[in-house]
């Protein structure tokens, strides 16, 4: 039998992931002071700069005040830089939903989820499209080599 004395309180941590094509982003959300870091660097220095707004969309939609007491650390790998940014935004959105479900209350989680789904469904639901593999008899997945009769 374990006693409650001497044990440290369990950390409020939630992990969630976002995917786009071959890119996979894993977000760890915990109580903190409002940091959002991607592979150790702050979200503000994410490249390419024109797509940085896409990664900020969940923060801008839900308001910075919901993120001010949370730290989100994201590790992203695979895919190209556009796919990585879409995976990052999905991981951020999913992690805050999971955090609210687990450690806050169900009604506010439902409110956040409705807000995100109303704006863009891909913030929470991953895109199932993948690259079709190449087959024999042609240069790609569908096209065939030209047949010559002469």
């Amino acid at each position: 039998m374990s006693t409650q004395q001497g044990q440290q309180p369990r950390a409020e941590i939630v992990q969630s992931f976002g995917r786009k094509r071959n890119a996979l982003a894993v977000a760890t959300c915990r109580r903190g002071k409002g940091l959002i870091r991607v592979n150790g660097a702050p979200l503000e220095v994410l490249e390419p700069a024109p797509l940085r707004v896409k990664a900020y969309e969940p923060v801008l939609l839900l308001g910075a005040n919901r993120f001010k007491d949370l730290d989100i650390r994201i590790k992203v790998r695979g895919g190209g830089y556009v796919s990585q940014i879409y995976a990052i935004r999905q991981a951020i959105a999913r992690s805050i939903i999971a955090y609210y479900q687990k450690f806050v209350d169900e009604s506010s989680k439902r409110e956040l989820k409705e807000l995100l789904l109303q704006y863009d469904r891909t913030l929470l639901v991953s895109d199932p499209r993948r690259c079709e593999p190449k087959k024999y008899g042609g240069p790609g997945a569908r096209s065939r080599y030209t047949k010559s009769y002469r």
Side-chain angles (χ1 to χ4, degrees), residues 96-124:
I96 194 156
I97 294 291
Y99 185 87
Y100 268 70
Q101 180 176 8
K102 199 168 181 182
F103 301 114
V104 190
D105 62 328
E106 188 70 26
S107 62
S108 59
K109 172 238 159 182
R110 201 172 297 116
E111 178 187 323
L112 295 179
K113 194 170 179 178
E114 288 297 320
L115 196 65
L116 291 170
L117 285 174
Q118 186 178 355
Y119 178 75
D120 188 3
R121 190 165 183 267
T122 58
L123 279 167
L124 296 177

Side-chain angles (χ1 to χ4, degrees), residues 30 71 118 133 137 140 143:
R30 57 168 50 115
D71 281 356
Q118 186 178 355
S143 63

Side-chain angles (χ1 to χ4, degrees), residues 17-150:
F17 66 92
R19 286 193 124 142
K20 175 74 174 168
R21 294 169 71 176
N22 286 330
L24 175 67
V26 179
T28 306
C29 184
R30 57 168 50 115
R31 187 169 297 285
K33 50 183 186 277
L35 293 173
I36 300 178
R37 294 187 160 268
V38 178
N39 291 343
L43 197 61
E44 295 87 47
V45 297
L46 195 64
E47 289 296 325
L51 286 172
R52 197 176 298 152
V53 178
K54 275 288 185 198
Y56 266 114
E57 276 180 356
V59 181
L60 297 172
L61 278 171
L62 303 177
N65 61 331
R66 295 193 202 269
F67 289 86
K68 72 176 184 276
D69 58 342
L70 296 177
D71 281 356
I72 301 176
R73 288 192 163 78
I74 303 155
K75 288 182 180 165
V76 63
R77 52 187 293 187
Y81 51 83
V82 175
S83 295
Q84 284 190 352
I85 285 183
Y86 276 87
I88 287 166
R89 77 198 275 263
Q90 191 177 78
I92 292 171
R94 281 183 170 184
S95 68
I96 194 156
I97 294 291
Y99 185 87
Y100 268 70
Q101 180 176 8
K102 199 168 181 182
F103 301 114
V104 190
D105 62 328
E106 188 70 26
S107 62
S108 59
K109 172 238 159 182
R110 201 172 297 116
E111 178 187 323
L112 295 179
K113 194 170 179 178
E114 288 297 320
L115 196 65
L116 291 170
L117 285 174
Q118 186 178 355
Y119 178 75
D120 188 3
R121 190 165 183 267
T122 58
L123 279 167
L124 296 177
V125 182
S126 61
D127 188 355
R129 296 177 295 172
R130 296 290 178 265
C131 187
E132 190 175 341
K134 181 196 177 304
K135 284 96 176 173
Y136 60 87
R142 298 282 175 104
S143 63
R144 302 292 96 195
Y145 292 125
T146 309
K147 185 176 179 185
S148 174
Y149 290 100
R150 208 168 284 253

